Amino acid sequence: MSDTARIETARIEQDIQAARARLEGTVNELAYRAQPQVIAQRQLQGLKLRLDAATHTEDGELRIERIGAVVAAAVVVVVAVGWLRRRR
């Protein structure tokens, strides 16, 4: 085998090893992301971020009008359920 062929073979083997390493890393990352605990953590973090965005301004101040509306709606639901139970 000529030197050029050996060099080319060595380069191809290095490319294959690098591709295997990348694929192994990708498979490991996908396996990690597919774990139920990790999925639940991501969902919880997303929920916290959405709640924070809904209840705070970009400056970090509370959005009292939104919080008040949610509290008022909860009070209406509790009163309606209590009223319906009493009528039975």
Side-chain angles (χ1 to χ4, degrees):
M1 188 182 282
S2 70
D3 287 340
T4 307
R6 282 189 202 123
I7 293 171
E8 185 65 21
T9 302
R11 187 186 63 76
I12 291 171
E13 287 175 356
Q14 287 175 347
D15 290 347
I16 290 171
Q17 288 175 351
R20 282 183 180 155
R22 283 193 310 272
L23 287 172
E24 181 182 6
T26 301
V27 168
N28 289 340
E29 179 67 22
L30 290 172
Y32 173 76
R33 287 183 181 191
Q35 292 177 355
Q37 291 173 333
V38 174
I39 294 171
Q41 287 174 346
R42 280 197 318 264
Q43 294 293 327
L44 183 60
Q45 287 173 348
L47 180 61
K48 286 180 181 179
L49 289 174
R50 286 193 303 266
L51 179 64
D52 189 52
T55 58
H56 292 81
T57 64
E58 293 176 3
D59 299 333
E61 296 180 24
L62 283 175
R63 293 184 176 180
I64 296 174
E65 70 282 355
R66 287 188 180 182
I67 296 171
V70 169
V71 170
V75 168
V76 168
V77 168
V78 168
V79 168
V81 167
W83 183 71
L84 289 173
R85 283 188 177 183
R86 225 184 254 187
R87 291 196 63 181
R88 287 183 180 189

